[in-house]
Amino acid sequence: MARVYNFSAGPAVLPEEVLSRAGSEILDYQGSGMSVMEMSHRSKVFQGIIDKAEADIRTLMGIPENYKVLFLQGGDSLLFATTFINLAPHRKADFVITGNWAKKAYQEAQILGDPNVVASSADKNFTYIPDCSDLPIREDTDYLYICQNNTIYGTQYHTLPNAKGHTLVSDQSSMFLSEPVDVTKFGCIHAGVQKNVGPAGVQIVIVREDLIPDDLPGVPTMLRFKTQADKGSLYNTPNCWGIYMCGLVFQWLLENGGLAAMHERNAEKAKVLYDYLDASELFHPTVTDPQSRSLMNVPFVTGDKDLDAEFVAQAAEAGLVNLKGHRTVGGMRASIYNAMPKAGVEALVNFMDGFERSHKKA
């Protein structure tokens, strides 16, 4: 069967070159006589894999030496709590709520301490990024938290909030490594790799060393950033295969011009889709403000649930899969991550155009 164009929000499309290389090495990784899935995480071979992966992501993002790079497990759903546990010594953090994931992070913080919402776009079903130039941040808050790209609602911060001197913490999962980032503007960045970097099961945390507490009395060992920071992410058995795959994606990004080149490609792809949506009489983007639009996740609707379902079904038959929107938005969603070629977006737009012409009212 021919490969389809996979618009899934995550787990998501991976570069074919990466998949091919992983396939060629699956039985025998570089003469080791075994698969990465079989080897010990304590072996010299795997140590080389994780060391190169860290070196490559540091090169890609320009990560300074005073930041730790951690390859963890547990997903954002665990990190919402562990981030607060590790980075909020006074048990205070302020949140900008722009979708489900920022809301979930806030709810986890409610269990553990005293979080505060300083801005939200819930009033319009999270279809815009609120003005964050003068937020009412508490003087004694430990950090300001944002979800920088909102997978479900298709919004993205294109200007970072004014944190007023406080530590900025960002969930970058669905836009991670899609564009250049000044890491020094953040105290901590975390991202699940399954949306834009690798297979599900790895969480990357980039955290400034001075923010990692030396001791957390009463906190279990595995919930402390210091545990993995001191052991190079090898305190316990990590997701070896997932880290290996992320490393291959890092190499692919470097070989294809790095994050600046990737951002240019992503902006070009997104423009193809948004230009069509803005001109269409049938399909409508749910995010109308260009300054709030995500380059990674593009939700759109017809306004008719039955017609939406018909479109999703027919698109799948045409090899354009996983276009059904999230239940809180409805309609359709095209996730056009790094590995989605421009040809895939053009194929989607051509199909949408044909569908629209066939459904025009007489």
Side-chain angles (χ1 to χ4, degrees):
M1 179 180 179
R3 281 179 61 78
V4 296
Y5 287 121
N6 178 15
F7 294 93
S8 173
V13 60
L14 287 168
E16 289 190 9
E17 299 94 323
V18 167
L19 294 172
S20 294
R21 179 172 171 184
S24 71
E25 295 180 335
I26 195 165
L27 292 177
D28 180 5
Y29 174 74
Q30 298 189 4
S32 66
M34 68 185 98
S35 171
V36 175
M37 287 185 279
E38 300 173 298
M39 65 181 56
S40 169
H41 65 296
R42 304 294 183 199
S43 67
K44 289 183 179 180
V45 179
F46 185 74
Q47 187 67 59
I49 290 172
I50 195 171
D51 286 348
K52 180 166 176 51
E54 179 175 340
D56 284 348
I57 193 174
R58 284 185 178 276
T59 298
L60 275 169
M61 297 183 71
I63 301 173
E65 291 185 3
N66 64 322
Y67 282 74
K68 289 288 189 180
V69 177
L70 310 178
F71 296 96
L72 306 181
Q73 300 174 66
D76 280 324
S77 295
L78 179 60
L79 272 174
F80 295 149
T82 53
T83 298
F84 189 85
I85 290 169
N86 284 269
L87 303 186
H90 305 105
R91 294 296 178 261
K92 289 189 175 183
D94 287 358
F95 291 77
V96 181
I97 308 297
T98 51
N100 282 18
W101 302 115
K103 184 178 179 181
K104 285 179 181 291
Y106 169 73
Q107 290 171 336
E108 289 297 299
Q110 283 183 305
I111 298 170
L112 298 162
D114 178 24
N116 179 50
V117 177
V118 293
S120 173
S121 53
D123 60 324
K124 294 184 179 179
N125 198 33
F126 303 118
T127 54
Y128 70 100
I129 297 294
D131 181 2
C132 295
S133 60
D134 188 21
L135 299 169
I137 301 172
R138 295 174 293 183
E139 287 296 326
D140 59 348
T141 200
D142 289 304
Y143 61 82
L144 175 67
Y145 187 96
I146 62 172
C147 180
Q148 206 163 332
N149 186 88
N150 298 285
T151 320
I152 293 173
Y153 298 97
T155 60
Q156 179 179 350
Y157 289 79
H158 296 290
T159 300
L160 291 177
N162 177 6
K164 297 182 175 178
H166 294 87
T167 297
L168 181 61
V169 177
S170 176
D171 172 0
Q172 290 189 1
S173 292
S174 52
M175 51 83 68
F176 193 58
L177 301 187
S178 67
E179 61 184 59
V181 171
D182 184 351
V183 175
T184 64
K185 292 184 178 180
F186 302 88
C188 179
I189 293 168
H190 68 84
V193 305
Q194 73 277 6
K195 295 180 181 297
N196 206 29
V197 183
V202 179
Q203 198 79 8
I204 295 175
V205 175
I206 301 165
V207 57
R208 209 172 67 223
E209 286 182 343
D210 64 288
L211 296 176
I212 301 174
D214 288 329
D215 192 22
L216 286 171
V219 174
T221 302
M222 292 304 293
L223 297 183
R224 305 179 187 195
F225 283 163
K226 184 173 174 60
T227 298
Q228 296 288 15
D230 287 351
K231 297 295 184 180
S233 302
L234 293 172
Y235 176 84
N236 66 323
T237 308
N239 183 339
C240 296
W241 177 261
I243 293 170
Y244 157 74
M245 289 293 292
C246 289
L248 294 186
V249 172
F250 301 158
Q251 292 175 50
W252 177 79
L253 288 166
L254 288 167
E255 291 164 1
N256 283 274
L259 301 189
M262 201 55 55
H263 180 240
E264 185 177 336
R265 286 173 53 177
N266 288 330
E268 190 176 286
K269 289 185 299 185
K271 186 178 187 302
V272 171
L273 183 50
Y274 281 122
D275 281 354
Y276 173 77
L277 288 169
D278 287 338
S280 173
E281 295 179 7
L282 178 63
F283 298 101
H284 309 289
T286 59
V287 179
T288 56
D289 177 13
Q291 300 305 311
S292 293
R293 285 175 169 173
S294 169
L295 299 184
M296 297 285 97
N297 312 101
V298 184
F300 55 97
V301 297
T302 66
D304 182 323
K305 291 182 179 180
D306 291 336
L307 196 58
D308 289 345
E310 181 184 343
F311 173 82
V312 170
Q314 290 188 16
E317 291 177 1
L320 308 165
V321 304
N322 293 318
L323 281 165
K324 184 178 180 180
H326 190 271
R327 62 184 177 278
T328 60
V329 178
M332 288 67 67
R333 172 180 53 181
S335 293
I336 50 177
Y337 298 127
N338 287 345
M340 174 60 67
K342 185 180 179 182
V345 179
E346 291 172 337
L348 173 60
V349 166
N350 287 336
F351 182 81
M352 292 168 71
D353 185 56
F355 186 89
E356 180 169 359
R357 283 188 281 106
S358 70
H359 285 76
K360 277 189 175 179
K361 294 179 180 179

